[in-house]
Amino acid sequence: MSTSSVPSIVYEASPATIALTTSRRRSPALAGEPVEFFEVLHSDAGGRSRVWECTPGRFESARTGDTELMHFIAGIGTITTADGAVHDIRPGVALVAPDGWRGTWDIRETVRKVYTIWTAATPTRKTGETS
């Protein structure tokens, strides 16, 4: 009889104050010199969850092959989508950036978010269905 292991829940009671151990310059920047910091909460073949922080600046971003759910816990800024829609970044805001999304971040006050990115599902076709 084999013993299977049951995964544990990843528990972080205070993402607002967790130490972020990895940092890198956000490049290329459109304005300022933004630096991002993060701490991995979970990562596997299907996606990843992190706490992320970025200092003020402006930069482009895109979701290619994945989707991201973001929940902001600190900071002020905007995200402008490629079609011109402007979304405020502030504590309490939740945004979803689906596969194919493109836009520009404009961070005015250091932003912190908790996010999960998962691999975009490949649609399955029904028998007889054509593209």
Side-chain angles (χ1 to χ4, degrees), residues 6-115:
V6 176
S8 298
I9 289 176
V10 176
Y11 178 76
E12 179 50 56
S14 188
T17 58
I18 186 175
L20 306 181
T21 59
T22 304
S23 68
R24 62 184 173 218
R25 186 168 298 265
R26 181 71 194 206
S27 181
L30 301 173
E33 296 183 14
V35 177
E36 55 186 3
F37 304 85
F38 64 89
E39 183 66 25
V40 175
L41 299 176
H42 178 76
S43 182
D44 64 23
R48 61 195 177 274
S49 295
R50 296 178 177 170
V51 177
W52 177 87
E53 187 172 279
C54 191
T55 62
R58 192 153 70 78
F59 53 89
E60 292 179 335
S61 183
R63 299 272 38 102
T64 304
D66 56 31
T67 295
E68 179 178 5
L69 168 63
M70 303 169 254
H71 182 245
F72 294 92
I73 54 179
I76 297 172
T78 57
I79 296 176
T80 304
T81 62
D83 66 2
V86 178
H87 303 279
D88 287 331
I89 297 172
R90 65 181 183 285
V93 168
L95 296 173
V96 175
D99 183 20
W101 175 86
R102 292 179 300 115
T104 303
W105 290 66
D106 187 5
I107 298 173
R108 294 185 301 282
E109 179 183 298
T110 298
V111 166
R112 185 176 277 222
K113 68 179 179 176
V114 176
Y115 72 88

